[in-house]
Amino acid sequence: MALAASDGFEPVLAALTTMQSNVESSQKSQAHQFLENFQKSPEAWTATHSMLASSLVSAEARLFAATTLKGKITYDLDQLPRQSLPALRDSLLTLVASLRDGPRPIRTQLCVCLANLAIQMIEWKNVLQLVGSSLGNNAGDCVLEFLRVLPEEVTEGRKINLTEEELTTRTRELLEENATQVLGLLTQYSQSSVSAASNPHLLECISSWLREIPAADVVNSPLFDAIVNAISIDTSFEAAIDCMCTIFRDTREVDESMELIQIIYPRIMSLRPKIAELAIAEDLESYKGITRLFAEAGEAWVVMIARLPTEFRGLVESILECCARDRDRDSIALTFLFWYEFKQMITLDKYKQARNQYTDVFANLVDIMVKHLEYPRAEGEDETDLFDGDREQEEKFREFRHQMGDVLKDCCDVITVTECLGKAFELIQRWRSTWGSQSTRTKVPHWQELEAPLFSMRAMGRNVSAEESVVLRQVIPLIVQIPDHEKLRFQAIMALGRYTDWTAQHPDFLQPQLNFVIAGFEHESKEVVKAAALAFRFFGTDCKQLLRGHVTQLHHFYESVLDKLPPASQEEITEGVACVVSAQSLDNIYPMFKLFCDPIIRRMMARANEARNEEDENGRLVVADYLQLLTIFVQNVQPYVSPTEQNPAVKYCQEILPVMSAIAENFTKSTPILERVCRCWRYMVLSYRTAVLPLLPSLAQQLASGFENSRQGCFLWATDSVLREFAAGADFVDDATTQAIYSFFERQALAFLRIMNDLPPGELPDVIEDFFRLLIDALIYYHQKLLLAPVCEPILSASISALILQQDAPLIATLHFLRDFLSYGTDHPNSSSFGERSLDSAPVNPLQIQHAVMRLVALQGEKLVQRILTGMMFHFPRDCFPDASGVLLGLFEIMPQEAVVWVKGTIGMLPAGTVRAAEGDRLVASIRQKIHAGDIRKIRVLMQGIFHELVPQKKYYTQGRIGAFGSHEVSV
């Protein structure tokens, strides 16, 4: 192999130029295809070496060559004769040495090449010695780069073509047996000069080798001084912080690492003055690094802090100081995990002493968090734009506030809710006494100082018990009197909505709060109106017993605001009033249901008549929104009625069923309307269960005709609820009803199969998902009928056809069905029963059913294996792999010998080069061995590994990105 010979790489350079030029997409596609084909070709070995050796080739093209070479070594090493590998190794060493001065991205890729070659070239035993001697004393950074990537590629890189045994052995040879030597080399290098001791490459190398070198060995060596000292040097600061945090993670087992922690802790605490220094200097990135240092130390040693609260108090106070001094809020989030884990620990009874000693810290943390919750001050007169038009920054701040709210909840668990609420109450009082008298309708001075404690009260609401009797009695009367400022009004309403459970136990406070919330519906701010709708929902849900006597007044309010609200807010207030309706006496349910819903029906029908003639979708969407409001009533109004009595809610549903059927019949092309109709019908079944039996004939007919006419999967979704509720053995369901339901299911299945004959699966992903989810329940409740029915064979064919899809949801539904279906070919099916069998006994699967499943698998198993294997190799999303391998396992359980033949045949049909013949034979032999040994379940491990073992990733080039391999990626 003439590795150094020129091989005419000009076409490659031309294609790369095309990819980076402003040319037509067709030209770029041709160039992209050419580059992919080049990367797969044997000629790429020589061409990439020539490009890398040429000084006339641009850095971008050489980086492409290095990336391609990395892919070739990782996946295509079998293209080279084994005896040529030493020449390849020597060539790589020469190239790395020539790049000792950069560019670093190319050098990094070549070091990865060398590392991957070292992993696979198992006859190369003196890897470190040869690399060190070949690169020489003047290539220190090159050697460090190679040492850094080697453990990363061995432990984290992509799967290479070695058996598990070979990889385990090679890992031991390259890492475990060299750990002591590497520690000595790194120590020697760090002591060679002052600059070497703070070289970021050295620190990165230490971090990488801490996978193998025990942290104790590093801490007890001169390297630890180098790491700590490097934190004070700007160029090495980040790498030193990373290295220290890696050491922390190795000391999480505090019982085993106590002596080590005692060495590290004082060195860490000596860095505490840097917190103030960096804050004063406003060095944001370095401040983030020092915060990370203390926070990760706290996370690693949280158990020790709880055990020895006095000894480690300095660390906790340092983390608190990081929070307090973070004026720009860029670093504080790094501490949140520590505060959560610390709270989890000291709230245990065994660490009660630590909890008592740290109450002052958590009290200060509350003050700090509430201060950080404040909105920024406007620089000019315009207070509506607090972020200078940066909407992304504003959204980030809002999300960040909710994270700080979680920290406040942690504080509640440590120092009690009452104390935390008391701090918010004090801030509200302080603002009222300082600025309250200066507030007007147009201007509220320093409103940020009032809004922040209101937000904190909202955040802590989840932790407040309904029995709290100290603070809320004082603070709620203040909240309902806050000035009419948009953000204050919004936050006050949202806060009240969090305490409705408390209000339900303290009815004297309901009226002023409800008045305040209802007044919010008239506010000019849309955000305040949305907040009012959400809060009203909570008042209706939690205080329904207090409001049940005011249902008529609520109806007037509901009618007055409904049409003014956006759809989401309509749903929220509807849920509130529906809960109040549900609290009515049984004889009042029907009239109240009718009182609230009849106007919705009238609005819906009027809009539907208009929407039939509209070209756009807006009118249809309004109809769908009204249908959703009806569904909310059905979901929430669920009175308890004796089975012998008529359910008043079902009585009303019976009245509106023809209306909804008419809507479905007239809008067969409107997916939103049909989905909302089916959702409402589904919840009629789920809410009233067998009480809907009087509706069942009409409902089943509408579901069947609706699916046939519209081909929408939502009708199958609704069918599923009927199937489950009226399954054999359910209470109050006779055999005739059960048989009628199964006949209804078969009608839906036949309709689906006709649709599958007319359209390719790619046009039916949602319908396929809904159908196979329906089938999963059909197998559970009606398997004795379904598996023996003629319709089962075409259903299995349809499931195999659906496996060409690439979307997660329909594939997972289909694979779940196939797994359940195959389980009925065994004596332990995935089954459920309403019968009287004991909990300890397995369901009995008759031989008749087992034979029926095996007969169908014998007919279609080969095609099923083809679809599963090719899908897993080429187009299944990763989330589908466990279920796909589960299907294969099911085949091996019921028909092992036939399944082996099908797998072998499928591998033989794959395109040339997809699977190496030797690897395919090895897989089949391993499967036969597991079958012979009776270890069927271990075949799953073999099948899940097939994609790493047999299917190399051939796409080395990605447009706009070079280097998509292993853990070392480079963007250009």
Side-chain angles (χ1 to χ4, degrees), residues 707 748-758 771 791 794-795 798:
F707 180 53
Q748 297 289 64
L750 291 170
F752 170 80
L753 294 172
R754 286 193 294 270
I755 294 171
M756 283 285 284
N757 281 332
D758 295 341
F771 179 68
V791 75
I795 285 175

Side-chain angles (χ1 to χ4, degrees), residues 4 18 81 244 323 333 345 430 453 461 478 605 727 818 820 835 877 894 915 952:
T18 300
M244 286 298 300
C323 296
M345 194 63 58
R430 185 184 307 168
L478 296 183
M605 293 305 296
L818 286 168
D820 288 351
I894 61 176
V915 175

Side-chain angles (χ1 to χ4, degrees), residues 290 368 462 874 920:
I290 204 69
I368 292 168
R462 187 185 305 170
F874 300 119

Side-chain angles (χ1 to χ4, degrees), residues 625-649:
D625 291 336
Y626 284 132
L627 285 164
Q628 175 64 9
L629 301 186
L630 293 173
T631 304
I632 291 171
F633 274 98
V634 172
Q635 285 177 282
N636 288 279
V637 183
Q638 300 181 26
Y640 174 76
V641 182
S642 169
T644 59
E645 300 177 20
Q646 184 183 34
N647 190 309

Side-chain angles (χ1 to χ4, degrees), residues 446-461:
H446 300 274
W447 59 266
Q448 292 92 339
E449 296 176 16
L450 177 57
E451 193 270 350
L454 287 173
F455 181 92
S456 72
M457 286 198 61
R458 170 187 165 193
M460 294 183 287

Side-chain angles (χ1 to χ4, degrees), residues 355 366 408-409 411-426 457 460 463-465 467-475 499 502:
R355 178 177 181 175
V366 172
L408 288 173
K409 296 185 186 78
C411 295
C412 290
D413 291 337
V414 176
I415 61 173
T416 74
V417 170
T418 299
E419 183 170 348
C420 293
L421 285 177
K423 286 180 171 292
F425 176 49
E426 289 173 8
M457 286 198 61
M460 294 183 287
N463 292 56
V464 179
S465 165
E467 285 73 38
E468 203 284 327
S469 59
V470 179
V471 179
L472 290 180
R473 288 180 174 275
Q474 303 176 69
V475 74
Y499 293 92
W502 181 88

Side-chain angles (χ1 to χ4, degrees), residues 528-581:
V528 173
V529 173
K530 291 178 182 178
L534 181 59
F536 183 85
R537 169 193 163 195
F538 294 132
F539 276 100
T541 301
D542 293 332
C543 304
K544 59 187 177 184
Q545 296 298 334
L546 300 179
L547 294 171
R548 59 182 297 185
H550 304 279
V551 67
T552 304
Q553 296 94 310
L554 286 178
H555 175 254
H556 293 314
F557 160 71
Y558 182 70
E559 284 293 304
S560 67
V561 301
L562 184 64
D563 295 329
K564 303 175 185 178
L565 300 175
S569 296
Q570 287 181 343
E571 292 179 20
E572 286 163 351
I573 66 163
T574 298
E575 184 174 344
V577 297
C579 287
V580 177
V581 170

